[in-house]
């Protein structure tokens, strides 16, 4: 039976991930935190580029959660995110379509779920 994409995900909501985002052609990754909360997604680094919280869709199959996000910046274009989370590991890619560039900026992303404070 195929999993159905839904807005938000009980498997992701309330979780945050410490990740490294490696821009295509770069040698050094950018540290970032990705947060899923009440059906929304937020990239801490992208807040500096006028990206607010955005809705995400997700579906779970065999312990793996796939997610997709389209985030619109107020001033700097939009980003699309696609990724998976399994056993606390996040692997994703993102594409930033900037109005000041002909070619989008592509990122490879990987990281782990943050530990919850007790």
């Amino acid at each position: 039976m195929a999993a159905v994409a839904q807005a938000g995900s009980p498997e992701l909501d309330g979780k945050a991930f410490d990740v490294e985002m490696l821009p295509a052609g770069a040698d050094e990754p950018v540290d970032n935190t990705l947060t899923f909360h009440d059906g929304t997604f937020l990239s801490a680094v992208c807040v500096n580029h006028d990206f607010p919280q955005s809705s995400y869709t997700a579906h779970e199959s065999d312990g793996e959660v796939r997610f997709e996000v389209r985030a619109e910046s107020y001033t700097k274009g939009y980003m699309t995110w696609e990724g998976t989370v399994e056993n606390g590991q996040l692997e994703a890619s993102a594409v930033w379509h900037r109005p000041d560039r002909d070619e989008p900026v592509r990122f490879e992303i990987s990281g782990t779920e943050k530990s919850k404070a007790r």
Side-chain angles (χ1 to χ4, degrees):
M1 185 162 122
V4 175
Q6 60 186 13
S9 165
E11 291 85 6
L12 289 180
D13 273 350
K15 294 185 179 179
F17 296 84
D18 287 325
V19 300
E20 291 185 338
M21 295 180 61
L22 184 63
D27 294 326
E28 293 294 319
V30 175
D31 291 332
N32 196 359
T33 299
L34 305 180
T35 304
F36 297 86
H37 179 72
D38 287 341
T40 65
F41 166 90
L42 183 67
S43 161
V45 168
C46 293
V47 168
N48 298 330
H49 296 284
D50 294 329
F51 284 93
Q53 284 183 308
S54 302
S55 297
Y56 75 93
T57 59
H59 67 273
E60 189 273 341
S61 178
D62 297 325
E64 178 182 81
V65 180
R66 295 188 155 283
F67 67 91
E68 294 182 2
V69 180
R70 180 180 167 105
E72 301 273 346
S73 169
Y74 296 118
T75 60
K76 297 188 180 172
Y78 69 95
M79 290 184 77
T80 56
W81 303 72
E82 294 182 356
T84 61
V85 174
E86 186 171 20
N87 297 323
Q89 296 292 121
L90 183 143
E91 298 292 329
S93 61
V95 181
W96 185 4
H97 300 269
R98 294 177 52 160
D100 61 340
R101 294 191 179 183
D102 291 335
E103 294 294 319
V105 180
R106 299 180 186 282
F107 299 88
E108 291 300 318
I109 304 155
S110 63
T112 57
E113 185 176 352
K114 291 178 77 161
S115 297
K116 295 186 181 191
R118 293 182 185 235

